[in-house]
Amino acid sequence: MRFESLPEWLHWQETLHFTEVDPGLERIGHVWTALDGDSKLPFTVITVAGTNGKGSSVAMLESILRTAGYTTGTYTSPHILNYNERICIDSQPCSDEEICQAFDRIDTARDKESLTYFEYATLAAVDIFTEQNIDIAILEVGMGGRLDAVNLFDADIALITPISLDHTAWLGDNREKIGREKAGIIRKNKPVVCSETLAPESVLLYAKELDAPVYQAGKTFNVIKHDDSWQWSNKKQSWNDLPIPALEGHYQLQNAAAVLQVISLLIADGYSILEQQIKTGLETVKLAGRFQRIPGDVEQILDVTHNEQGAKNLATLLTEIPTPGRTLAVVAMLKDKDAAKVASILNSSIDMWFAAGLGGSRGMSSEQLSEQLNQSVTQDKIKQSDTVEKAYEQAWSSAKKGDRVLIFGSFHTVEAILRLN
């Protein structure tokens, strides 16, 4: 084995390929073939693409399927605290040993083929799932869909969550272009579920080309919301008195509705999933870093939001869950994010901004971030710090009983504060 520890493997992978992001399936395909793999995996595959709601959708699907007694594998990214979070079986992160053994098998098979950090992770996840003989895998696309490493594997069901502007340098500068990239996960004659009532036409047209049945919110399946419950129905099924998902935000109903359409398709395909198991799965689902609330005299809220649609959802939640005091925001973002747009959406919900720098080649400095914030936020409401930890310390020392501290802008931002707590 090239390395004995997971940190050694990961450090090496970070510099193995000449660039961090290199879309395309040729290199990873060669390695998977060398591992005697096939694009059709020996278990059911649900592939999830979209801009927002991917993580929540994966978590709800996994929670319901595990409650129903199926062995589940989930592959998600990025992680918050530990790399192992990316590859889970029955909601439990795989061990360092399991991942290192998968890396070793990949390293042997790849010969001289270069792989990115993400490609290594994707192959490791599927390799482990195959070794563990799981029933169903839920694979979250990293970026886009068509050229993403996850798309090497054929989806039995494609789930496309809400699409908005993000990664525009790679995916395109409008929803139709981005939608076409996301639609790349669709397979011929295989169903695709769309969370949005107004999905991009590019998604629907590509599905039509492949004779892939489309199940679309508001058209194929419907939701009726009650005060503390909801009802879901399509032509074949109806589930009543469903609990509100245990994830904060009214928009989680949109994610949950599409998840239930996936569940309905699985039932039609022979899976046994009872209504009570669906309810239990929705009630017990957990997901770190999505409006994660830590109570106290000063409440803390951690959210990985980093784009326009996410900011709109966050602004709505801050309004729906008011605080008697002020909202103090610790924010740090990556260079490719539109911090100015995010700030313009959240400005009326935030009383003071503590702008922090993020390290690494992709991180935005506090000066760059402050400059973008200042397009809609007055200078007297912005305080700069070199690091997330310093910004958090400054916000915390400024907070009084009844205030809340919101930490958001990136997975890296949330990670830094969770490590402090």
Side-chain angles (χ1 to χ4, degrees):
M1 188 179 288
R2 184 184 293 269
F3 302 107
E4 294 301 321
S5 74
L6 183 56
E8 286 177 307
W9 274 107
L10 297 177
H11 179 71
W12 174 73
Q13 288 171 22
E14 286 172 354
T15 57
L16 175 63
H17 198 60
F18 73 95
T19 181
E20 185 178 354
V21 180
D22 189 9
L25 303 178
E26 188 174 350
R27 287 174 298 99
I28 189 175
H30 287 159
V31 179
W32 184 241
T33 300
L35 280 162
D36 294 326
D38 195 290
S39 61
K40 180 71 180 83
L41 297 174
F43 40 79
T44 300
V45 174
I46 301 168
T47 302
V48 183
T51 308
N52 294 290
K54 288 184 296 183
S56 300
S57 299
V58 170
M60 284 188 271
L61 267 171
E62 195 280 335
S63 184
I64 293 169
L65 290 168
R66 181 167 39 83
T67 301
Y70 293 100
T71 302
T72 60
T74 54
Y75 174 57
T76 58
S77 63
H79 60 276
I80 295 181
L81 291 177
N82 298 301
Y83 181 91
N84 312 58
E85 298 165 21
R86 294 173 179 241
I87 307 171
C88 294
I89 294 178
D90 285 340
S91 84
Q92 296 304 307
C94 289
S95 67
D96 285 14
E97 183 181 2
E98 287 174 304
I99 296 172
C100 287
Q101 287 174 353
F103 284 165
D104 185 51
R105 290 191 288 270
I106 296 162
D107 192 31
T108 301
R110 76 179 182 87
D111 192 21
K112 295 179 181 178
E113 195 73 74
S114 178
L115 294 173
T116 66
Y117 182 91
F118 184 77
E119 288 166 342
Y120 241 104
T122 306
L123 287 177
V126 175
D127 181 69
I128 290 170
F129 296 160
T130 304
E131 287 274 318
Q132 294 294 321
N133 196 29
I134 65 167
D135 296 316
I136 188 163
I138 308 164
L139 308 179
E140 179 189 346
V141 167
M143 183 181 74
R146 182 174 63 92
L147 298 177
D148 188 88
V150 165
N151 200 37
L152 179 66
F153 308 104
D154 293 335
D156 295 293
I157 301 174
L159 170 57
I160 299 180
T161 66
I163 294 171
S164 63
L165 300 185
D166 203 0
H167 300 296
T168 52
W170 295 100
L171 305 179
D173 57 4
N174 61 60
R175 265 180 31 103
E176 291 300 327
K177 290 178 182 176
I178 295 172
R180 177 60 187 84
E181 291 298 317
K182 309 287 186 186
I185 67 169
I186 302 170
R187 293 297 189 267
K188 189 170 182 63
N189 298 318
K190 297 292 185 179
V192 54
V193 177
C194 295
S195 299
E196 294 183 285
T197 54
L198 295 173
E201 279 298 313
S202 57
V203 173
L204 305 179
L205 287 172
Y206 188 63
K208 188 176 182 180
E209 284 178 33
L210 296 179
D211 293 320
V214 176
Y215 297 84
Q216 192 172 356
K219 296 181 180 178
T220 320
F221 58 94
N222 295 281
V223 167
I224 298 175
K225 170 79 166 64
H226 304 296
D227 288 340
D228 55 359
S229 66
W230 60 295
Q231 168 184 341
W232 183 95
S233 62
N234 62 14
K235 287 183 179 179
K236 291 185 177 180
Q237 274 146 330
S238 178
W239 291 307
N240 302 312
D241 297 318
L242 293 166
I244 303 298
L247 300 175
E248 294 279 8
H250 69 284
Y251 53 87
Q252 293 296 358
L253 270 191
Q254 180 183 29
N255 295 325
V259 161
L260 292 200
Q261 177 57 57
V262 173
I263 295 296
S264 176
L265 290 168
L266 290 171
I267 291 171
D269 203 36
Y271 277 77
S272 174
I273 305 164
L274 305 178
E275 183 170 348
Q276 186 54 51
Q277 292 166 337
I278 292 171
K279 291 179 177 180
T280 300
L282 292 173
E283 285 174 329
T284 58
V285 63
K286 295 178 182 177
L287 187 61
R290 275 67 166 189
F291 208 81
Q292 181 180 347
R293 300 171 71 185
I294 302 175
D297 288 343
V298 175
E299 183 183 42
Q300 298 176 74
I301 300 170
L302 300 112
D303 199 293
V304 297
T305 287
H306 53 261
N307 58 40
E308 181 179 349
Q309 185 58 56
K312 289 177 180 176
N313 291 339
L314 180 54
T316 301
L317 269 173
L318 292 171
T319 301
E320 290 176 348
I321 306 173
T323 184
R326 300 168 299 160
T327 298
L328 312 177
V330 174
V331 57
M333 301 182 76
L334 297 176
K335 284 178 184 174
D336 64 342
K337 306 306 174 188
D338 191 346
K341 173 61 75 173
V342 168
S344 69
I345 294 166
L346 285 164
N347 189 22
S348 61
S349 304
I350 292 171
D351 299 288
M352 185 66 70
W353 298 73
F354 295 84
L358 277 182
S361 60
R362 295 182 62 204
M364 192 184 298
S365 70
S366 59
E367 291 79 15
Q368 292 169 322
L369 178 57
S370 296
E371 189 177 324
Q372 289 205 43
L373 298 182
N374 201 208
Q375 293 181 34
S376 55
V377 181
T378 57
Q379 191 61 50
D380 61 311
K381 288 187 174 183
I382 303 172
K383 295 188 182 298
Q384 287 181 217
S385 295
D386 292 338
T387 66
V388 175
E389 292 85 353
K390 288 180 181 176
Y392 175 76
E393 185 180 328
Q394 199 173 14
W396 194 253
S397 62
S398 302
K400 300 172 183 176
K401 186 175 181 179
D403 289 346
R404 63 184 171 191
V405 175
L406 167 68
I407 301 108
F408 82 101
S410 167
F411 279 82
H412 301 291
T413 315
V414 169
E415 175 193 3
I417 303 311
L418 282 176
R419 291 197 184 281
L420 286 179
N421 290 324

